[in-house]
Amino acid sequence: MTNFKQDYSSLLFLLSLWLPLESVSDSISLGETSLMHLLDQEQFMKQLFYYLCGFAGGIPFFVLRDYGRETLSLRWRSWMTSYYMERYLKNQNFYKIQSQLIIDNPDQRIVDDLSSFTGTALTLSLTLFNSTVDLISFSNILYGIYPPLFVVLLIYSISGTAISVYIGRGLVNLNFLQEKKEADFRYGLVRVRENAESIAFYGGEESEKHLLLQCFRGAFENLSQLLISSRNLAFFTKGYRYFIQILPAAVVAPMFFSGKIEIGVINQSVSAFNHILEDISLIVYQFQAITAFSAVINRLGQFDDILNSSCSTKSHCDTSKDICVTYKSLKSSSVVESNGLSPPEKGETLLEIENLTLKTPNEGTLIRDLSLTVKDKEHLLIIGPSGSGKTSLLRAIAGLWSSGNGKIIYYEKNGGDPQQPIFSDVNAPTVNTVHDAYERLGNFVSKSSRTFFLPQRPYMVLGTLRQQLLYPTWADNEIPIADSIKSKRVLPFFMKSSNSDKNKQPRFPRTDELIMVLEDVCLGYLLSRFSLDSTHDWSSVLSLGEQQRLAFARLLLAKPKLVLLDESTSALDELNEVHLYKKIGAAGVTYISIGHRQTLYHYHNRILRISTLDSNCKEPNWCIESIRCQSS
């Protein structure tokens, strides 16, 4: 019976649009029999034809509309991802964010938050546009029927919006925290996967389960609060939506009973009223989606502010507040630093440290007033007790540690801007010796790679064995593109920018050169198990000793002028250690090493001995000792 009444009312409303109001009024007085006479078959078929035509044209329109929206969202997300990735990886911002714990989960902000932002922003924008057009169209109808009803509707919707904002004011913060806690839980699972072997060796499954459940408990408790707040808001929004449905009929019905309007006007007023209510109450009905969107905007806003502050940091050095790393050219009369002083002539000097005081982020001093000079082929060994600041010193030399004060100066033999890459476009002769190969390859690398760092646990990239060897000197050029993709149009922000001629780009080492360098670091047997283009999780497939030797292969291919070794042979036996130090020495590489083995003394010229700093003593906690070069 209820369905019949609804269908009957809908039919009356359609008739009120197709036929004059007087005809509909007469048909109501004649009853259902008279009504059926008005529905002739010709008119029915005509309207059915119109409907089918609209149906046929509407389906492609709505499908293409949704497709266009999703495509636009994807392209917008792609551009924003490229934009944020460029800023995130620029000037070592990723390292600063992670080491200083500035914000949480930057990976989630780039992956999930950007996707949610672009998709939700377009959806809400189109919804707002449609509601605006709908509001303008039906406001004219309702205002023409009964102006007081339109005014009541405005007052009702504005009041409902204000109450919704008051009730759901805490949803933004709860959604913000939920994003963080979910990301923390996922990060914990990723850490278990990355450290599966260590956890298995320790038998730490129960401990890991406790930590993961603790992370999940935080997400669970916050989500419970979020559901309670959403429930309270739903109580109001549901009542707000259904309570008002009876208002237009109640207001307009007296006019119908007095004979001032026909029954079709009531249907028109109800329909127009509901449309306007949906349009004006957009915030009420979409409040939960808007609060989640606001949380995403807050997270991206924080991330954007961090990246902006890092990019706007002053580039010149203030040695009284931070450690200053500068570059000087030995042939140029100008100095690449802010004070404008001319550099002294330093024939074979590669690195100079002046009055360096190294501090921890909480202002604890590690090394006080360190000054030393590293010249070409003058290898330095750094020793000292654990926690004395050896690795922090290498980080400062590499420009990753800024807590403290003093100067670190790099000297370049060639004139010009040390930050600009230098290349050679001379055709290389046939390689006959290992040393000739390394000398030739060294002419094709940029100055940014003339200082190399080898940590105790090398970084294994996601890729092939060939890419492991080419990283990082040639990694930016090693971007394979499938043939099926080459023919398609590539978005401009996915393409590499090239400011120099292709002939001046670094030349890729040939396959035979890669095989040769694997043999030189005693990893030639890997080629019997894997090809150069096979892809594996190399950090799991290779042992730590093999990873360290692979890092030395990168070093020999890159041919840097100076290399920093942080216990880079700790997982190797002494014979392999001797072999690798001989190789990099024969390649003309100057190295600064951190190590504890007595055998390392044979391959260094000087020792920098660092002791634990006594806070009550004002004297430097370091000394330099000479080592007589000995043959192993």
Side-chain angles (χ1 to χ4, degrees), residues 13 25 69 90 188 494 548:
F13 174 66
S25 178
R69 182 188 64 201
K90 187 177 181 181
F494 283 151
Q548 289 184 344

Side-chain angles (χ1 to χ4, degrees), residues 5 46 106 158 188 213 216 219 267 302 304 405 480 483 524 533 566:
K5 292 182 177 179
K46 183 178 180 181
I158 293 174
L213 288 178
F216 179 74
N267 293 322
Q302 283 186 351
D304 196 71
N405 55 71
D483 294 336
D533 297 314
D566 185 8

Side-chain angles (χ1 to χ4, degrees), residues 241-255:
R241 178 188 294 268
Y242 295 113
F243 177 76
I244 196 65
Q245 297 298 321
I246 197 175
L247 181 62
V251 172
V252 180
M255 300 176 63

Side-chain angles (χ1 to χ4, degrees), residues 227-248:
L227 292 176
I228 292 173
S229 298
S230 300
R231 179 202 62 192
N232 296 337
L233 179 64
F235 275 126
F236 173 77
T237 55
K238 294 297 183 182
Y240 173 88
R241 178 188 294 268
Y242 295 113
F243 177 76
I244 196 65
Q245 297 298 321
I246 197 175
L247 181 62

Side-chain angles (χ1 to χ4, degrees), residues 124 127 131 153 156-157 160-161 164-165 233-234 236-245 273-291:
L124 290 179
T127 302
S131 297
L153 177 58
Y156 183 81
S157 60
T161 301
S164 297
V165 171
L233 179 64
F236 173 77
T237 55
K238 294 297 183 182
Y240 173 88
R241 178 188 294 268
Y242 295 113
F243 177 76
I244 196 65
Q245 297 298 321
F273 184 88
N274 288 330
H275 274 275
I276 296 174
L277 180 64
E278 291 281 344
D279 300 332
I280 299 180
S281 304
L282 180 64
I283 295 179
V284 177
Y285 298 150
Q286 300 288 335
F287 194 81
Q288 294 191 31
I290 292 173
T291 54

Side-chain angles (χ1 to χ4, degrees), residues 80-351:
M80 291 192 70
T81 300
S82 176
Y83 175 66
Y84 273 88
M85 285 292 293
E86 181 180 359
R87 296 163 67 202
Y88 179 57
L89 298 175
K90 187 177 181 181
N91 298 328
Q92 298 173 337
N93 289 333
F94 63 96
Y95 175 78
K96 299 172 186 175
I97 290 174
Q98 179 64 25
S99 60
Q100 301 175 19
L101 300 177
I102 300 176
I103 56 173
D104 63 276
N105 303 300
D107 52 327
Q108 188 207 31
R109 298 172 193 251
I110 294 176
V111 177
D112 294 338
D113 290 345
L114 282 180
S115 177
S116 178
F117 172 78
T118 54
T120 308
L122 280 176
T123 301
L124 290 179
S125 299
L126 292 177
T127 302
L128 181 62
F129 174 77
N130 294 333
S131 297
T132 302
V133 175
D134 199 58
L135 177 63
I136 295 174
S137 301
F138 284 93
S139 294
N140 185 39
I141 297 176
L142 185 62
Y143 190 83
I145 295 175
Y146 194 51
L149 183 60
F150 181 75
V151 175
V152 170
L153 177 58
L154 288 179
I155 297 175
Y156 183 81
S157 60
I158 293 174
S159 302
T161 301
I163 296 174
S164 297
V165 171
Y166 176 78
I167 296 176
R169 63 189 184 279
L171 286 175
V172 175
N173 186 54
L174 289 173
N175 279 289
F176 181 90
L177 292 176
Q178 189 64 28
E179 293 283 342
K180 177 183 182 302
K181 293 181 182 297
E182 293 283 359
D184 290 341
F185 178 55
R186 184 173 59 185
Y187 178 69
L189 292 172
V190 171
R191 282 181 56 83
V192 171
R193 185 185 66 186
E194 292 179 345
N195 300 278
E197 185 178 16
S198 299
I199 295 172
F201 271 125
Y202 278 110
E205 294 84 358
E206 288 297 322
S207 178
E208 291 299 325
K209 183 179 73 172
H210 175 74
L211 293 174
L212 289 174
L213 288 178
Q214 186 175 0
C215 291
F216 179 74
R217 188 179 299 114
F220 171 81
E221 293 174 352
N222 187 82
L223 184 58
S224 299
Q225 293 295 323
L226 182 61
L227 292 176
I228 292 173
S229 298
S230 300
R231 179 202 62 192
N232 296 337
L233 179 64
F235 275 126
F236 173 77
T237 55
K238 294 297 183 182
Y240 173 88
R241 178 188 294 268
Y242 295 113
F243 177 76
I244 196 65
Q245 297 298 321
I246 197 175
L247 181 62
V251 172
V252 180
M255 300 176 63
F256 168 74
F257 291 122
S258 63
K260 295 181 180 179
I261 60 174
E262 293 78 16
I263 188 66
V265 177
I266 297 179
N267 293 322
Q268 287 182 333
S269 63
V270 171
S271 177
F273 184 88
N274 288 330
H275 274 275
I276 296 174
L277 180 64
E278 291 281 344
D279 300 332
I280 299 180
S281 304
L282 180 64
I283 295 179
V284 177
Y285 298 150
Q286 300 288 335
F287 194 81
Q288 294 191 31
I290 292 173
T291 54
F293 183 56
S294 299
V296 169
I297 292 177
N298 287 342
R299 290 177 59 82
L300 287 178
Q302 283 186 351
F303 192 33
D304 196 71
D305 291 340
I306 294 298
L307 296 179
N308 285 337
S309 62
S310 179
C311 292
S312 62
T313 303
K314 57 184 180 179
S315 59
H316 66 274
C317 296
D318 185 357
T319 56
S320 63
K321 295 182 180 180
D322 289 315
I323 298 173
C324 177
V325 179
T326 59
Y327 297 83
K328 295 184 179 181
S329 175
L330 294 176
K331 289 188 178 181
S332 176
S333 59
S334 61
V335 180
V336 188
E337 60 177 341
S338 59
N339 55 20
L341 298 178
S342 298
E345 292 298 326
K346 306 272 185 184
E348 296 295 326
T349 302
L350 299 179
L351 174 68

Side-chain angles (χ1 to χ4, degrees), residues 11-117:
L11 183 60
L12 290 177
F13 174 66
L14 291 174
L15 289 174
S16 68
L17 297 179
W18 294 341
L19 303 175
L21 294 179
E22 292 80 2
S23 300
V24 177
S25 178
D26 294 340
S27 67
I28 296 298
S29 61
L30 293 176
E32 292 185 9
T33 304
S34 300
L35 178 62
M36 296 301 296
H37 290 298
L38 295 175
L39 300 177
D40 58 83
Q41 184 177 0
E42 182 181 355
Q43 182 68 15
F44 173 77
M45 296 302 297
K46 183 178 180 181
Q47 297 300 328
L48 181 60
F49 174 75
Y50 290 157
Y51 174 78
L52 292 177
C53 290
F55 185 76
I59 289 179
F61 172 78
F62 289 116
V63 170
L64 292 176
R65 180 199 65 180
D66 295 339
Y67 172 76
R69 182 188 64 201
E70 297 299 329
T71 302
L72 180 59
S73 174
L74 177 61
R75 293 174 66 92
W76 189 12
R77 179 192 175 188
S78 301
W79 176 83
M80 291 192 70
T81 300
S82 176
Y83 175 66
Y84 273 88
M85 285 292 293
E86 181 180 359
R87 296 163 67 202
Y88 179 57
L89 298 175
K90 187 177 181 181
N91 298 328
Q92 298 173 337
N93 289 333
F94 63 96
Y95 175 78
K96 299 172 186 175
I97 290 174
Q98 179 64 25
S99 60
Q100 301 175 19
L101 300 177
I102 300 176
I103 56 173
D104 63 276
N105 303 300
D107 52 327
Q108 188 207 31
R109 298 172 193 251
I110 294 176
V111 177
D112 294 338
D113 290 345
L114 282 180
S115 177
S116 178
F117 172 78

